[in-house]
Short mmCIF file of all heavy atoms in Angstrom, two decimals:
data_model
loop_
_atom_site.label_atom_id
_atom_site.label_comp_id
_atom_site.label_asym_id
_atom_site.label_seq_id
_atom_site.Cartn_x
_atom_site.Cartn_y
_atom_site.Cartn_z
N MET A 528 -8.17 2.89 -11.02
CA MET A 528 -8.07 3.52 -9.72
C MET A 528 -6.98 4.59 -9.80
O MET A 528 -5.87 4.33 -10.24
CB MET A 528 -7.72 2.47 -8.67
CG MET A 528 -7.39 3.05 -7.33
SD MET A 528 -6.78 1.83 -6.19
CE MET A 528 -8.07 1.92 -5.00
N LYS A 529 -7.36 5.78 -9.38
CA LYS A 529 -6.41 6.88 -9.40
C LYS A 529 -5.77 7.01 -8.02
O LYS A 529 -6.46 7.03 -7.01
CB LYS A 529 -7.13 8.17 -9.77
CG LYS A 529 -6.20 9.32 -9.95
CD LYS A 529 -6.91 10.53 -10.49
CE LYS A 529 -5.89 11.64 -10.62
NZ LYS A 529 -6.42 12.78 -11.32
N LEU A 530 -4.45 7.09 -7.99
CA LEU A 530 -3.73 7.19 -6.73
C LEU A 530 -3.34 8.63 -6.44
O LEU A 530 -3.02 9.39 -7.34
CB LEU A 530 -2.47 6.32 -6.77
CG LEU A 530 -2.68 4.83 -6.97
CD1 LEU A 530 -1.34 4.13 -7.06
CD2 LEU A 530 -3.50 4.24 -5.85
N ARG A 531 -3.38 8.98 -5.16
CA ARG A 531 -2.93 10.30 -4.73
C ARG A 531 -1.40 10.28 -4.65
O ARG A 531 -0.76 9.23 -4.74
CB ARG A 531 -3.51 10.64 -3.36
CG ARG A 531 -5.01 10.76 -3.37
CD ARG A 531 -5.55 11.20 -2.02
NE ARG A 531 -4.87 10.60 -0.89
CZ ARG A 531 -5.30 9.52 -0.22
NH1 ARG A 531 -6.41 8.93 -0.58
NH2 ARG A 531 -4.63 9.05 0.80
N ASN A 532 -0.81 11.47 -4.47
CA ASN A 532 0.65 11.58 -4.41
C ASN A 532 1.24 10.76 -3.27
O ASN A 532 2.26 10.10 -3.45
CB ASN A 532 1.06 13.04 -4.25
CG ASN A 532 0.89 13.81 -5.54
OD1 ASN A 532 0.80 13.23 -6.61
ND2 ASN A 532 0.81 15.12 -5.43
N ASP A 533 0.61 10.79 -2.09
CA ASP A 533 1.15 10.03 -0.97
C ASP A 533 1.07 8.53 -1.22
O ASP A 533 1.95 7.78 -0.80
CB ASP A 533 0.47 10.41 0.35
CG ASP A 533 -1.04 10.28 0.30
OD1 ASP A 533 -1.60 10.22 -0.80
OD2 ASP A 533 -1.65 10.24 1.40
N GLN A 534 0.04 8.08 -1.95
CA GLN A 534 -0.06 6.66 -2.29
C GLN A 534 1.04 6.27 -3.28
O GLN A 534 1.59 5.17 -3.19
CB GLN A 534 -1.44 6.35 -2.86
CG GLN A 534 -2.54 6.40 -1.83
CD GLN A 534 -3.90 6.24 -2.44
OE1 GLN A 534 -4.23 6.94 -3.41
NE2 GLN A 534 -4.69 5.32 -1.90
N TRP A 535 1.35 7.16 -4.22
CA TRP A 535 2.43 6.88 -5.17
C TRP A 535 3.77 6.75 -4.45
O TRP A 535 4.61 5.91 -4.81
CB TRP A 535 2.51 7.97 -6.24
CG TRP A 535 1.52 7.77 -7.35
CD1 TRP A 535 0.41 8.52 -7.59
CD2 TRP A 535 1.54 6.76 -8.36
NE1 TRP A 535 -0.26 8.03 -8.68
CE2 TRP A 535 0.42 6.95 -9.18
CE3 TRP A 535 2.41 5.70 -8.63
CZ2 TRP A 535 0.14 6.13 -10.27
CZ3 TRP A 535 2.13 4.89 -9.71
CH2 TRP A 535 1.00 5.10 -10.52
N ILE A 536 3.97 7.60 -3.44
CA ILE A 536 5.22 7.55 -2.68
C ILE A 536 5.35 6.23 -1.95
O ILE A 536 6.40 5.57 -1.99
CB ILE A 536 5.31 8.75 -1.71
CG1 ILE A 536 5.46 10.05 -2.51
CG2 ILE A 536 6.45 8.58 -0.72
CD1 ILE A 536 5.30 11.30 -1.68
N VAL A 537 4.27 5.79 -1.29
CA VAL A 537 4.30 4.52 -0.57
C VAL A 537 4.49 3.36 -1.54
O VAL A 537 5.25 2.42 -1.27
CB VAL A 537 3.01 4.35 0.27
CG1 VAL A 537 2.92 2.96 0.86
CG2 VAL A 537 2.94 5.40 1.37
N LEU A 538 3.83 3.42 -2.69
CA LEU A 538 3.99 2.39 -3.70
C LEU A 538 5.44 2.33 -4.19
O LEU A 538 6.02 1.24 -4.31
CB LEU A 538 3.04 2.64 -4.87
CG LEU A 538 3.09 1.65 -6.02
CD1 LEU A 538 2.64 0.28 -5.56
CD2 LEU A 538 2.21 2.13 -7.17
N GLY A 539 6.04 3.47 -4.46
CA GLY A 539 7.43 3.51 -4.90
C GLY A 539 8.39 2.98 -3.85
O GLY A 539 9.32 2.23 -4.17
N MET A 540 8.15 3.34 -2.58
CA MET A 540 8.99 2.81 -1.51
C MET A 540 8.87 1.30 -1.42
O MET A 540 9.87 0.60 -1.19
CB MET A 540 8.60 3.46 -0.18
CG MET A 540 8.98 4.92 -0.07
SD MET A 540 8.31 5.77 1.36
CE MET A 540 8.75 4.71 2.71
N GLY A 541 7.67 0.79 -1.61
CA GLY A 541 7.46 -0.65 -1.58
C GLY A 541 8.18 -1.37 -2.71
O GLY A 541 8.81 -2.40 -2.51
N ILE A 542 8.11 -0.81 -3.90
CA ILE A 542 8.78 -1.42 -5.05
C ILE A 542 10.29 -1.39 -4.85
O ILE A 542 10.98 -2.38 -5.13
CB ILE A 542 8.35 -0.70 -6.35
CG1 ILE A 542 6.89 -1.01 -6.64
CG2 ILE A 542 9.25 -1.10 -7.52
CD1 ILE A 542 6.29 -0.20 -7.76
N VAL A 543 10.82 -0.29 -4.36
CA VAL A 543 12.26 -0.20 -4.09
C VAL A 543 12.66 -1.22 -3.03
O VAL A 543 13.69 -1.90 -3.17
CB VAL A 543 12.65 1.24 -3.67
CG1 VAL A 543 14.06 1.28 -3.12
CG2 VAL A 543 12.51 2.19 -4.84
N GLY A 544 11.85 -1.37 -1.99
CA GLY A 544 12.14 -2.36 -0.95
C GLY A 544 12.17 -3.78 -1.49
O GLY A 544 13.06 -4.57 -1.15
N VAL A 545 11.21 -4.11 -2.35
CA VAL A 545 11.18 -5.45 -2.94
C VAL A 545 12.39 -5.66 -3.84
O VAL A 545 13.01 -6.73 -3.82
CB VAL A 545 9.86 -5.67 -3.72
CG1 VAL A 545 9.92 -6.92 -4.57
CG2 VAL A 545 8.69 -5.74 -2.75
N LEU A 546 12.76 -4.64 -4.61
CA LEU A 546 13.93 -4.78 -5.48
C LEU A 546 15.22 -4.97 -4.68
O LEU A 546 16.08 -5.79 -5.05
CB LEU A 546 14.05 -3.57 -6.40
CG LEU A 546 12.95 -3.44 -7.46
CD1 LEU A 546 13.10 -2.14 -8.23
CD2 LEU A 546 12.97 -4.64 -8.40
N ILE A 547 15.35 -4.25 -3.58
CA ILE A 547 16.52 -4.42 -2.72
C ILE A 547 16.55 -5.82 -2.14
O ILE A 547 17.59 -6.48 -2.11
CB ILE A 547 16.54 -3.35 -1.60
CG1 ILE A 547 16.83 -1.97 -2.19
CG2 ILE A 547 17.56 -3.70 -0.53
CD1 ILE A 547 16.63 -0.83 -1.21
N ALA A 548 15.39 -6.30 -1.70
CA ALA A 548 15.31 -7.65 -1.13
C ALA A 548 15.65 -8.71 -2.17
O ALA A 548 16.36 -9.68 -1.87
CB ALA A 548 13.93 -7.89 -0.55
N LEU A 549 15.16 -8.53 -3.40
CA LEU A 549 15.48 -9.49 -4.45
C LEU A 549 16.97 -9.48 -4.79
O LEU A 549 17.57 -10.52 -5.08
CB LEU A 549 14.63 -9.22 -5.69
CG LEU A 549 13.14 -9.51 -5.54
CD1 LEU A 549 12.39 -9.09 -6.79
CD2 LEU A 549 12.89 -10.97 -5.21
N TYR A 550 17.57 -8.29 -4.76
CA TYR A 550 19.02 -8.20 -4.97
C TYR A 550 19.77 -8.94 -3.87
O TYR A 550 20.72 -9.67 -4.14
CB TYR A 550 19.46 -6.73 -5.03
CG TYR A 550 20.95 -6.58 -5.08
CD1 TYR A 550 21.65 -6.84 -6.25
CD2 TYR A 550 21.67 -6.20 -3.95
CE1 TYR A 550 23.03 -6.72 -6.29
CE2 TYR A 550 23.04 -6.08 -3.97
CZ TYR A 550 23.72 -6.34 -5.14
OH TYR A 550 25.09 -6.24 -5.17
N LEU A 551 19.35 -8.73 -2.63
CA LEU A 551 20.00 -9.44 -1.52
C LEU A 551 19.82 -10.94 -1.64
O LEU A 551 20.73 -11.71 -1.33
CB LEU A 551 19.45 -8.94 -0.17
CG LEU A 551 19.83 -7.51 0.22
CD1 LEU A 551 19.08 -7.10 1.48
CD2 LEU A 551 21.34 -7.41 0.45
N LYS A 552 18.66 -11.38 -2.09
CA LYS A 552 18.43 -12.82 -2.28
C LYS A 552 19.33 -13.36 -3.39
O LYS A 552 19.87 -14.45 -3.29
CB LYS A 552 16.95 -13.04 -2.62
CG LYS A 552 16.59 -14.45 -2.97
CD LYS A 552 16.73 -15.37 -1.79
CE LYS A 552 16.27 -16.76 -2.19
NZ LYS A 552 16.66 -17.76 -1.24
N ALA A 553 19.49 -12.56 -4.46
CA ALA A 553 20.31 -13.01 -5.59
C ALA A 553 21.79 -13.09 -5.21
O ALA A 553 22.54 -13.88 -5.79
CB ALA A 553 20.13 -12.06 -6.77
N THR A 554 22.22 -12.30 -4.24
CA THR A 554 23.62 -12.35 -3.81
C THR A 554 23.83 -13.34 -2.67
O THR A 554 24.84 -13.29 -1.99
CB THR A 554 24.09 -10.95 -3.37
OG1 THR A 554 23.26 -10.49 -2.30
CG2 THR A 554 24.06 -9.97 -4.52
N ASP A 555 22.87 -14.23 -2.50
CA ASP A 555 22.94 -15.30 -1.50
C ASP A 555 23.11 -14.78 -0.08
O ASP A 555 23.88 -15.33 0.71
CB ASP A 555 24.07 -16.29 -1.83
CG ASP A 555 23.78 -17.05 -3.11
OD1 ASP A 555 22.58 -17.29 -3.37
OD2 ASP A 555 24.72 -17.39 -3.83
N SER A 556 22.37 -13.72 0.25
CA SER A 556 22.36 -13.24 1.63
C SER A 556 21.53 -14.18 2.48
O SER A 556 20.74 -14.98 1.99
CB SER A 556 21.76 -11.83 1.70
OG SER A 556 22.57 -10.93 1.02
N GLU A 557 21.71 -14.08 3.77
CA GLU A 557 20.96 -14.94 4.68
C GLU A 557 19.49 -14.54 4.68
O GLU A 557 19.13 -13.41 4.39
CB GLU A 557 21.54 -14.83 6.09
CG GLU A 557 22.95 -15.35 6.20
CD GLU A 557 23.49 -15.21 7.62
OE1 GLU A 557 22.69 -14.97 8.54
OE2 GLU A 557 24.70 -15.32 7.77
N PHE A 558 18.65 -15.48 5.06
CA PHE A 558 17.21 -15.27 5.11
C PHE A 558 16.85 -14.11 6.03
O PHE A 558 15.96 -13.32 5.73
CB PHE A 558 16.53 -16.57 5.59
CG PHE A 558 15.05 -16.50 5.62
CD1 PHE A 558 14.32 -16.61 4.45
CD2 PHE A 558 14.36 -16.34 6.81
CE1 PHE A 558 12.94 -16.57 4.47
CE2 PHE A 558 12.99 -16.28 6.84
CZ PHE A 558 12.28 -16.40 5.66
N ASP A 559 17.55 -13.99 7.16
CA ASP A 559 17.26 -12.94 8.13
C ASP A 559 17.55 -11.55 7.59
O ASP A 559 17.02 -10.56 8.10
CB ASP A 559 18.08 -13.14 9.41
CG ASP A 559 17.70 -14.40 10.14
OD1 ASP A 559 16.59 -14.91 9.89
OD2 ASP A 559 18.51 -14.88 10.95
N LYS A 560 18.37 -11.46 6.58
CA LYS A 560 18.74 -10.15 6.05
C LYS A 560 17.74 -9.65 5.00
O LYS A 560 17.35 -8.49 5.02
CB LYS A 560 20.13 -10.21 5.43
CG LYS A 560 20.68 -8.86 5.05
CD LYS A 560 22.08 -8.97 4.53
CE LYS A 560 23.02 -8.73 5.69
NZ LYS A 560 24.42 -8.63 5.25
N PHE A 561 17.29 -10.50 4.08
CA PHE A 561 16.45 -10.02 2.99
C PHE A 561 14.96 -10.15 3.27
O PHE A 561 14.16 -9.36 2.76
CB PHE A 561 16.79 -10.71 1.66
CG PHE A 561 16.26 -12.11 1.53
CD1 PHE A 561 14.99 -12.33 1.03
CD2 PHE A 561 17.05 -13.19 1.87
CE1 PHE A 561 14.52 -13.62 0.89
CE2 PHE A 561 16.58 -14.47 1.73
CZ PHE A 561 15.31 -14.68 1.24
N PHE A 562 14.54 -11.10 4.09
CA PHE A 562 13.11 -11.31 4.27
C PHE A 562 12.38 -10.13 4.92
O PHE A 562 11.29 -9.76 4.45
CB PHE A 562 12.82 -12.60 5.04
CG PHE A 562 11.36 -12.91 5.13
CD1 PHE A 562 10.67 -13.35 4.03
CD2 PHE A 562 10.67 -12.70 6.31
CE1 PHE A 562 9.31 -13.61 4.09
CE2 PHE A 562 9.32 -12.96 6.39
CZ PHE A 562 8.64 -13.42 5.28
N PRO A 563 12.91 -9.51 5.98
CA PRO A 563 12.17 -8.36 6.55
C PRO A 563 12.01 -7.20 5.56
O PRO A 563 10.97 -6.54 5.54
CB PRO A 563 13.04 -7.93 7.74
CG PRO A 563 13.84 -9.12 8.08
CD PRO A 563 14.06 -9.86 6.80
N ILE A 564 13.02 -6.98 4.73
CA ILE A 564 12.93 -5.91 3.73
C ILE A 564 11.89 -6.28 2.68
O ILE A 564 11.08 -5.45 2.27
CB ILE A 564 14.31 -5.66 3.08
CG1 ILE A 564 15.30 -5.22 4.15
CG2 ILE A 564 14.22 -4.63 1.97
CD1 ILE A 564 16.73 -5.18 3.68
N PHE A 565 11.88 -7.54 2.26
CA PHE A 565 10.90 -8.01 1.29
C PHE A 565 9.48 -7.90 1.85
O PHE A 565 8.57 -7.41 1.19
CB PHE A 565 11.20 -9.47 0.90
CG PHE A 565 10.24 -10.05 -0.08
CD1 PHE A 565 10.31 -9.70 -1.41
CD2 PHE A 565 9.25 -10.93 0.33
CE1 PHE A 565 9.42 -10.24 -2.33
CE2 PHE A 565 8.36 -11.46 -0.57
CZ PHE A 565 8.44 -11.11 -1.90
N TYR A 566 9.31 -8.33 3.08
CA TYR A 566 7.99 -8.29 3.72
C TYR A 566 7.50 -6.85 3.87
O TYR A 566 6.33 -6.55 3.60
CB TYR A 566 8.06 -8.97 5.08
CG TYR A 566 6.73 -9.10 5.77
CD1 TYR A 566 5.84 -10.09 5.39
CD2 TYR A 566 6.36 -8.22 6.78
CE1 TYR A 566 4.61 -10.22 6.01
CE2 TYR A 566 5.14 -8.33 7.40
CZ TYR A 566 4.27 -9.33 7.02
OH TYR A 566 3.06 -9.43 7.63
N ALA A 567 8.38 -5.94 4.28
CA ALA A 567 7.99 -4.53 4.41
C ALA A 567 7.64 -3.93 3.05
O ALA A 567 6.68 -3.17 2.93
CB ALA A 567 9.13 -3.74 5.06
N GLY A 568 8.40 -4.28 2.01
CA GLY A 568 8.12 -3.76 0.67
C GLY A 568 6.79 -4.24 0.14
O GLY A 568 6.00 -3.46 -0.40
N ILE A 569 6.51 -5.52 0.30
CA ILE A 569 5.22 -6.07 -0.14
C ILE A 569 4.08 -5.42 0.63
O ILE A 569 3.03 -5.10 0.08
CB ILE A 569 5.20 -7.61 0.03
CG1 ILE A 569 6.14 -8.26 -0.99
CG2 ILE A 569 3.80 -8.16 -0.11
CD1 ILE A 569 5.69 -8.15 -2.42
N SER A 570 4.28 -5.20 1.92
CA SER A 570 3.24 -4.56 2.74
C SER A 570 2.97 -3.14 2.27
O SER A 570 1.82 -2.70 2.21
CB SER A 570 3.65 -4.56 4.21
OG SER A 570 3.76 -5.87 4.68
N MET A 571 4.02 -2.40 1.93
CA MET A 571 3.83 -1.03 1.44
C MET A 571 3.09 -1.01 0.12
O MET A 571 2.25 -0.12 -0.11
CB MET A 571 5.17 -0.32 1.31
CG MET A 571 5.77 0.08 2.60
SD MET A 571 7.27 1.02 2.30
CE MET A 571 7.88 1.14 3.95
N ILE A 572 3.39 -1.95 -0.75
CA ILE A 572 2.68 -2.01 -2.03
C ILE A 572 1.20 -2.26 -1.78
O ILE A 572 0.33 -1.62 -2.38
CB ILE A 572 3.29 -3.11 -2.94
CG1 ILE A 572 4.68 -2.68 -3.39
CG2 ILE A 572 2.39 -3.37 -4.14
CD1 ILE A 572 5.45 -3.77 -4.11
N TRP A 573 0.89 -3.17 -0.88
CA TRP A 573 -0.50 -3.48 -0.56
C TRP A 573 -1.20 -2.29 0.08
O TRP A 573 -2.34 -1.97 -0.25
CB TRP A 573 -0.51 -4.70 0.37
CG TRP A 573 -1.86 -5.11 0.83
CD1 TRP A 573 -2.79 -5.79 0.10
CD2 TRP A 573 -2.43 -4.86 2.11
NE1 TRP A 573 -3.90 -5.98 0.87
CE2 TRP A 573 -3.72 -5.42 2.10
CE3 TRP A 573 -1.99 -4.22 3.25
CZ2 TRP A 573 -4.55 -5.36 3.19
CZ3 TRP A 573 -2.82 -4.17 4.34
CH2 TRP A 573 -4.08 -4.73 4.31
N ILE A 574 -0.51 -1.61 0.99
CA ILE A 574 -1.10 -0.48 1.70
C ILE A 574 -1.42 0.67 0.74
O ILE A 574 -2.40 1.39 0.94
CB ILE A 574 -0.14 -0.01 2.82
CG1 ILE A 574 -0.16 -1.03 3.96
CG2 ILE A 574 -0.50 1.37 3.33
CD1 ILE A 574 0.90 -0.81 5.00
N ALA A 575 -0.64 0.83 -0.30
CA ALA A 575 -0.88 1.93 -1.25
C ALA A 575 -2.24 1.81 -1.93
O ALA A 575 -2.81 2.82 -2.34
CB ALA A 575 0.22 1.96 -2.30
N PHE A 576 -2.79 0.61 -2.02
CA PHE A 576 -4.05 0.40 -2.72
C PHE A 576 -5.26 0.30 -1.80
O PHE A 576 -6.37 0.05 -2.26
CB PHE A 576 -3.97 -0.84 -3.61
CG PHE A 576 -3.03 -0.65 -4.76
CD1 PHE A 576 -1.76 -1.18 -4.72
CD2 PHE A 576 -3.41 0.09 -5.86
CE1 PHE A 576 -0.89 -1.00 -5.78
CE2 PHE A 576 -2.55 0.29 -6.91
CZ PHE A 576 -1.29 -0.26 -6.88
N ILE A 577 -5.09 0.51 -0.51
CA ILE A 577 -6.22 0.49 0.41
C ILE A 577 -7.07 1.73 0.15
O ILE A 577 -6.56 2.84 0.02
CB ILE A 577 -5.74 0.47 1.88
CG1 ILE A 577 -5.07 -0.86 2.17
CG2 ILE A 577 -6.91 0.69 2.83
CD1 ILE A 577 -4.51 -0.95 3.58
N ASN A 578 -8.38 1.52 0.11
CA ASN A 578 -9.29 2.65 -0.11
C ASN A 578 -9.24 3.60 1.06
O ASN A 578 -9.16 3.19 2.21
CB ASN A 578 -10.71 2.15 -0.30
CG ASN A 578 -10.93 1.55 -1.66
OD1 ASN A 578 -10.21 1.87 -2.59
ND2 ASN A 578 -11.89 0.67 -1.78
N ASP A 579 -9.34 4.86 0.74
CA ASP A 579 -9.39 5.89 1.76
C ASP A 579 -10.79 5.91 2.37
O ASP A 579 -11.78 5.77 1.66
CB ASP A 579 -9.06 7.25 1.13
CG ASP A 579 -8.84 8.33 2.15
OD1 ASP A 579 -8.82 8.02 3.35
OD2 ASP A 579 -8.68 9.48 1.73
N ARG A 580 -10.89 6.09 3.65
CA ARG A 580 -12.21 6.10 4.30
C ARG A 580 -13.08 7.23 3.78
O ARG A 580 -14.29 7.13 3.79
CB ARG A 580 -12.04 6.24 5.81
CG ARG A 580 -11.47 5.01 6.43
CD ARG A 580 -11.41 5.16 7.92
NE ARG A 580 -10.68 4.02 8.46
CZ ARG A 580 -10.83 3.59 9.69
NH1 ARG A 580 -11.62 4.20 10.51
NH2 ARG A 580 -10.14 2.55 10.11
N ARG A 581 -12.46 8.30 3.35
CA ARG A 581 -13.24 9.43 2.84
C ARG A 581 -13.94 9.09 1.54
O ARG A 581 -14.87 9.75 1.14
CB ARG A 581 -12.35 10.64 2.65
CG ARG A 581 -11.86 11.21 3.97
CD ARG A 581 -10.92 12.34 3.71
NE ARG A 581 -9.63 11.72 3.39
CZ ARG A 581 -8.57 12.37 2.99
NH1 ARG A 581 -8.61 13.66 2.82
NH2 ARG A 581 -7.44 11.75 2.74
N SER A 582 -13.50 8.05 0.84
CA SER A 582 -14.09 7.70 -0.44
C SER A 582 -15.02 6.49 -0.34
O SER A 582 -15.40 5.93 -1.34
CB SER A 582 -12.98 7.42 -1.46
OG SER A 582 -12.27 6.27 -1.09
N CYS A 583 -15.38 6.12 0.85
CA CYS A 583 -16.24 4.95 1.05
C CYS A 583 -17.64 5.23 0.51
O CYS A 583 -18.26 6.24 0.83
CB CYS A 583 -16.29 4.60 2.54
SG CYS A 583 -17.31 3.19 2.90
N LYS A 584 -18.16 4.31 -0.30
CA LYS A 584 -19.47 4.48 -0.90
C LYS A 584 -20.57 4.56 0.15
O LYS A 584 -21.50 5.35 0.04
CB LYS A 584 -19.78 3.32 -1.85
CG LYS A 584 -19.27 3.48 -3.23
CD LYS A 584 -19.80 2.36 -4.08
CE LYS A 584 -19.43 2.55 -5.51
NZ LYS A 584 -19.92 1.47 -6.36
N ALA A 585 -20.49 3.72 1.16
CA ALA A 585 -21.52 3.69 2.20
C ALA A 585 -21.60 5.03 2.91
O ALA A 585 -22.70 5.53 3.20
CB ALA A 585 -21.24 2.57 3.20
N LYS A 586 -20.48 5.63 3.18
CA LYS A 586 -20.47 6.92 3.86
C LYS A 586 -21.07 8.00 2.97
O LYS A 586 -21.83 8.86 3.43
CB LYS A 586 -19.05 7.29 4.26
CG LYS A 586 -18.95 8.48 5.16
CD LYS A 586 -17.53 8.69 5.64
CE LYS A 586 -17.44 9.88 6.57
NZ LYS A 586 -16.08 10.10 7.04
N LYS A 587 -20.76 7.96 1.68
CA LYS A 587 -21.33 8.94 0.75
C LYS A 587 -22.84 8.79 0.67
O LYS A 587 -23.56 9.78 0.67
CB LYS A 587 -20.71 8.77 -0.64
CG LYS A 587 -19.30 9.29 -0.75
CD LYS A 587 -18.78 9.13 -2.16
CE LYS A 587 -17.36 9.60 -2.27
NZ LYS A 587 -16.82 9.44 -3.62
N GLU A 588 -23.31 7.55 0.59
CA GLU A 588 -24.75 7.33 0.51
C GLU A 588 -25.44 7.80 1.79
O GLU A 588 -26.53 8.37 1.74
CB GLU A 588 -25.03 5.85 0.26
CG GLU A 588 -24.64 5.40 -1.13
CD GLU A 588 -24.77 3.90 -1.32
OE1 GLU A 588 -25.22 3.21 -0.38
OE2 GLU A 588 -24.42 3.43 -2.42
N LYS A 589 -24.83 7.56 2.93
CA LYS A 589 -25.39 8.00 4.20
C LYS A 589 -25.50 9.52 4.24
O LYS A 589 -26.51 10.08 4.67
CB LYS A 589 -24.53 7.49 5.35
CG LYS A 589 -25.07 7.79 6.71
CD LYS A 589 -24.15 7.23 7.78
CE LYS A 589 -24.63 7.60 9.16
NZ LYS A 589 -23.70 7.12 10.20
N ASN A 590 -24.47 10.20 3.78
CA ASN A 590 -24.49 11.66 3.75
C ASN A 590 -25.54 12.19 2.79
O ASN A 590 -26.19 13.20 3.05
CB ASN A 590 -23.11 12.21 3.40
CG ASN A 590 -22.13 12.06 4.54
OD1 ASN A 590 -22.52 11.93 5.70
ND2 ASN A 590 -20.85 12.06 4.21
N GLN A 591 -25.72 11.50 1.67
CA GLN A 591 -26.73 11.93 0.71
C GLN A 591 -28.13 11.78 1.29
O GLN A 591 -28.99 12.62 1.08
CB GLN A 591 -26.61 11.14 -0.59
CG GLN A 591 -25.39 11.52 -1.41
CD GLN A 591 -25.22 10.64 -2.63
OE1 GLN A 591 -25.91 9.64 -2.80
NE2 GLN A 591 -24.26 10.99 -3.48
N LEU A 592 -28.35 10.70 2.03
CA LEU A 592 -29.64 10.51 2.67
C LEU A 592 -29.91 11.59 3.71
O LEU A 592 -31.03 12.08 3.84
CB LEU A 592 -29.73 9.12 3.31
CG LEU A 592 -29.86 7.94 2.36
CD1 LEU A 592 -29.81 6.63 3.11
CD2 LEU A 592 -31.15 8.04 1.55
N LYS A 593 -28.88 11.95 4.48
CA LYS A 593 -29.02 13.02 5.46
C LYS A 593 -29.37 14.34 4.79
O LYS A 593 -30.19 15.11 5.29
CB LYS A 593 -27.74 13.19 6.27
CG LYS A 593 -27.55 12.19 7.37
CD LYS A 593 -26.29 12.54 8.15
CE LYS A 593 -26.05 11.57 9.26
NZ LYS A 593 -24.83 11.89 10.01
N ASN A 594 -28.74 14.61 3.67
CA ASN A 594 -28.98 15.87 2.96
C ASN A 594 -30.39 15.94 2.36
O ASN A 594 -30.97 17.02 2.26
CB ASN A 594 -27.94 16.08 1.86
CG ASN A 594 -26.56 16.34 2.43
OD1 ASN A 594 -26.43 16.78 3.57
ND2 ASN A 594 -25.55 16.05 1.65
N LYS A 595 -30.95 14.80 1.98
CA LYS A 595 -32.30 14.77 1.43
C LYS A 595 -33.34 15.04 2.51
O LYS A 595 -34.39 15.59 2.23
CB LYS A 595 -32.58 13.44 0.77
CG LYS A 595 -31.85 13.26 -0.53
CD LYS A 595 -32.19 11.94 -1.17
CE LYS A 595 -31.43 11.75 -2.47
NZ LYS A 595 -31.75 10.47 -3.10
N LEU A 596 -33.04 14.64 3.73
CA LEU A 596 -34.01 14.86 4.83
C LEU A 596 -33.90 16.26 5.25
O LEU A 596 -34.52 17.09 5.52
CB LEU A 596 -33.72 13.92 6.00
CG LEU A 596 -33.83 12.44 5.71
CD1 LEU A 596 -33.38 11.65 6.93
CD2 LEU A 596 -35.27 12.08 5.35
#
């Protein structure tokens, strides 16, 4: 899967967020301090890999059928 520049940025922000959260966990910070950062970082990593609606196979096939008619 090839990522666009904006997806790479979101992925990088997510990785940095997870690393910061792990550092806070390693320094025995309270749960309230590191968990929101960890959760946001994991969410950003996941969001970076969501397919773009413009690349949906069903939409492409529908457009191809329209063009054939």
Side-chain angles (χ1 to χ4, degrees):
M528 172 187 243
K529 186 173 179 171
L530 298 177
R531 296 184 321 263
N532 286 341
D533 55 342
Q534 289 174 309
W535 278 109
I536 292 169
V537 172
L538 180 65
M540 289 171 51
I542 291 171
V543 168
V545 169
L546 292 175
I547 290 170
L549 292 175
Y550 173 76
L551 290 173
K552 175 67 177 166
T554 59
D555 294 328
S556 295
E557 295 180 14
F558 183 77
D559 295 340
K560 189 177 266 188
F561 76 88
F562 185 73
I564 299 170
F565 179 76
Y566 185 78
I569 290 292
S570 297
M571 285 185 188
I572 291 172
W573 178 77
I574 287 170
F576 292 102
I577 292 177
N578 285 335
D579 191 6
R580 290 183 188 205
R581 291 176 280 173
S582 66
C583 180
K584 274 187 174 180
K586 190 174 181 180
K587 285 182 182 179
E588 290 174 2
K589 184 179 176 183
N590 287 338
Q591 288 175 351
L592 288 175
K593 280 184 181 179
N594 292 337
K595 287 182 181 180
L596 298 175

